[in-house]
């Protein structure tokens, strides 16, 4: 898994216990997964369909830097399945894992449409395809 996105845990990201609020982390994950899916599918017309069990392993505290790692694991006809791990940048301890996040390619009416992709791309070239 490649770790591309890094977030700095700030006071507004904390819960009542002084650790990273799970909702803030899930918002970051959903945004990064959407960006990853847009690049892989070559369209910004894709939506989050499903997230499997979310496993919180360790906490993060104010001042920590967390890394989000996402990779494609399966291309369906209209979908893309991803896997996610979040870890502490300094200690490399896992903070969270999600085994499956599914995005679906949709048309202008929100109806699933085939995307025609079958393999991971490691650049943003698909955004320039016609």
């Amino acid at each position: 898994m490649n770790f591309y996105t890094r977030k700095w845990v700030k006071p507004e990201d904390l819960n009542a216990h002084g650790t990273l609020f799970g909702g803030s982390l899930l918002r970051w994950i959903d945004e990064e997964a959407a960006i990853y899916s847009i690049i892989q599918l070559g369209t910004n017309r894709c939506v989050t369909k499903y997230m499997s069990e979310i496993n919180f392993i360790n906490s993060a505290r104010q001042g920590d830097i967390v890394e989000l790692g996402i990779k494609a694991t399966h291309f369906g006809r209209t979908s893309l399945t991803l896997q996610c791990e979040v870890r502490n940048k300094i200690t490399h301890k896992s903070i969270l894992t999600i085994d499956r996040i599914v995005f679906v390619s949709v048309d202008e009416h929100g109806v699933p449409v085939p995307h025609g992709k079958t393999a991971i791309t490691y650049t943003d070239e698909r955004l320039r395809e016609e």
Side-chain angles (χ1 to χ4, degrees):
M1 180 152 326
N2 294 316
F3 293 88
Y4 295 112
T5 301
R6 293 172 182 91
K7 296 286 188 176
W8 188 17
V9 180
K10 300 180 292 251
E12 60 266 25
D13 304 319
L14 303 179
N15 62 25
H17 304 288
T19 59
L20 177 59
F21 176 57
S24 295
L25 183 52
L26 291 173
R27 181 180 69 243
W28 297 341
I29 290 167
D30 193 38
E31 180 180 17
E32 184 62 24
I35 293 167
Y36 187 97
S37 296
I38 287 166
I39 291 169
Q40 292 303 314
L41 300 179
T43 178
N44 63 358
R45 287 197 173 157
C46 55
V47 296
T48 309
K49 169 70 173 158
Y50 173 82
M51 276 194 190
S52 69
E53 178 179 289
I54 299 162
N55 186 12
F56 290 95
I57 301 165
N58 289 295
S59 299
R61 300 196 172 281
Q62 182 177 337
D64 285 352
I65 297 170
V66 298
E67 296 183 302
L68 283 71
I70 293 177
K71 72 176 179 179
T73 59
H74 177 74
F75 286 84
R77 190 175 69 79
T78 63
S79 65
L80 172 62
T81 302
L82 310 173
Q83 187 175 40
C84 175
E85 180 182 359
V86 178
R87 68 182 184 187
N88 184 301
K89 170 69 175 158
I90 306 304
T91 67
H92 289 245
K93 286 185 179 180
S94 286
I95 294 170
L96 170 147
T97 59
I98 304 174
D99 287 335
R100 289 180 58 222
I101 304 172
V102 178
F103 276 79
V104 174
S105 178
V106 296
D107 66 14
E108 62 274 4
H109 305 291
V111 177
V113 295
H115 50 67
K117 307 300 188 248
T118 59
I120 298 170
T121 184
Y122 293 98
T123 70
D124 60 0
E125 286 300 312
R126 286 197 176 143
L127 294 176
R128 292 187 276 280
E129 290 177 357
E130 299 204 51

